[in-house]
Amino acid sequence: RSGSKKLMQSLSAEQKKDVKLIGQFGVGFYSAFMVADEVVVTSLSGAPGSEAVVWRSSGDGNFTIVPGQRAKRGTTIELHLKGEAKEFLERWRLEGLVKRYSNYVTHPIKLALVDEQGERKDEPKQVNAAAAIWARSPSELSDDEYGEFYKHVMGGFVMPGDEPFARIHFSADAPIQFHALLYVPGRAPADLFQEDRKALQLFARRVLVIENCDTLLPQYLRFVRGVVDSEDLPLNVSREMLQENKSLAAIRRQLTRKVLKQLADLAEQDADKYAKLWAEFGSVIKEGLHLDQGHRDELTKLLRWRSAGQADTLLGLTQYVASMPEGQSVIYY
């Protein structure tokens, strides 16, 4: 049973616009018993005249509710960890989990250590960013901020001189609402031809749901790194559900179109930079000619070759044809 879902059902369409809730599937809380052999929840409603209550369960299908002591409204959840789950008492373990899955949720998540008597040993420290760079307007962001996030999506470290060839930052409202911040890396990732390679990160309402989602872009654009965050995807989405999800298909179409246009613009505006990009990813882009008939024309314009007449220059087919001498009717290759 999901209390969040019941609340959403009771709201009008106008009220729902301003409400963002997670936990609408009635399964999240029970994951506490994967690491705890007892959970105690002490809660006090904000309604006038309310009294605090304590809910206690060992996860065996039974629970007790008794009056509790709490001075101000809110909720405290206590996990009595199993022996094999004591790693979750370590600060580094908790910080790592928060930053991996909930770094960008809008609510601040603070961490404080307490002693055996429950007294705090230090002041609460916020461990999540609580703000998503991709949800901000590009006009608000500096190159340094984009550069720092590039390091993040590349695994936290990039080689000196590894500046992205291009970045794509945009938001879409129709037919599906989502934000995307993508990068074309300055160097080919080491795992480019491996089956378990990295891919785009998929978020649903700023919560990470799939770390490497290889269905957001076609295979011949697998060198692109970044994040996609949608308001319209459910938090419990799985890889199997993604295969049938119409919203994801709409996102994929828009992302593919945006990336191909960005590559075409770069090729037209900065031939030298595009030549370096082609040296890193040309063999991968060419796969698209065999895999994606729908974008064949756009891909053909991105292809580059060397010519016997201009050995030091990479040429596109259009450039080559334009420079052919009068009377030449074929291309030898």
Side-chain angles (χ1 to χ4, degrees), residues 138 141-143 146-147 164-169 181-184 262:
L141 297 167
S142 66
D143 288 338
Y146 278 121
F165 286 118
R167 68 173 180 248
I168 304 165
H169 185 189
L181 177 50
L182 312 179
Y183 296 88
V184 178
Q262 183 72 29

Side-chain angles (χ1 to χ4, degrees), residues 200-202 213-218 228 248 251-252 255-256:
L200 299 185
Q201 295 180 326
L202 179 62
C213 187
D214 55 9
T215 55
L216 285 166
L217 281 172
V228 175
L248 196 84
I251 294 175
R252 178 185 168 110
L255 292 180
T256 303

Side-chain angles (χ1 to χ4, degrees), residues 172-173 175-178 204-205 229-234 245 247 251:
D173 290 320
I176 179 174
Q177 184 179 16
F178 70 93
R205 298 188 288 287
D229 183 9
S230 175
E231 297 282 333
D232 298 330
L233 289 175
N245 193 287
S247 296
I251 294 175

Side-chain angles (χ1 to χ4, degrees), residues 211-275:
E211 190 158 27
N212 292 306
C213 187
D214 55 9
T215 55
L216 285 166
L217 281 172
Q219 289 294 299
Y220 62 86
L221 295 176
R222 61 182 176 271
F223 52 85
V224 177
R225 297 290 186 268
V227 301
V228 175
D229 183 9
S230 175
E231 297 282 333
D232 298 330
L233 289 175
L235 279 171
N236 65 342
V237 70
S238 66
R239 288 185 176 275
E240 291 70 28
M241 289 172 65
L242 287 177
Q243 302 296 330
E244 307 295 330
N245 193 287
K246 293 180 180 178
S247 296
L248 196 84
I251 294 175
R252 178 185 168 110
R253 284 194 296 272
Q254 292 203 53
L255 292 180
T256 303
R257 190 163 60 243
K258 288 280 187 180
V259 172
L260 291 178
K261 185 179 186 309
Q262 183 72 29
L263 295 177
D265 289 346
L266 180 64
E268 184 178 335
Q269 297 164 11
D270 193 335
D272 291 340
K273 193 173 185 180
Y274 185 76

Side-chain angles (χ1 to χ4, degrees), residues 63-135:
F63 61 88
T64 60
I65 298 180
V66 297
Q69 299 294 321
R70 187 179 173 88
K72 61 180 182 179
R73 74 171 188 174
T75 300
T76 300
I77 302 174
E78 230 176 86
L79 304 185
H80 295 255
L81 294 179
K82 298 176 181 177
E84 65 269 23
K86 290 296 169 64
E87 62 177 295
F88 297 108
L89 292 174
E90 301 290 340
R91 176 188 283 277
W92 65 268
R93 185 73 170 100
L94 289 174
E95 283 195 18
L97 286 169
V98 169
K99 289 179 178 177
R100 182 175 182 182
Y101 293 102
S102 301
N103 201 30
Y104 305 106
V105 296
T106 52
H107 309 290
I109 300 173
K110 298 179 181 180
L111 182 62
L113 297 180
V114 297
D115 59 23
E116 294 293 335
Q117 286 71 44
E119 298 296 324
R120 282 183 182 167
K121 296 165 66 175
D122 58 5
E123 286 301 308
K125 170 191 168 189
Q126 185 169 325
V127 293
N128 68 325
I133 182 174
W134 58 81

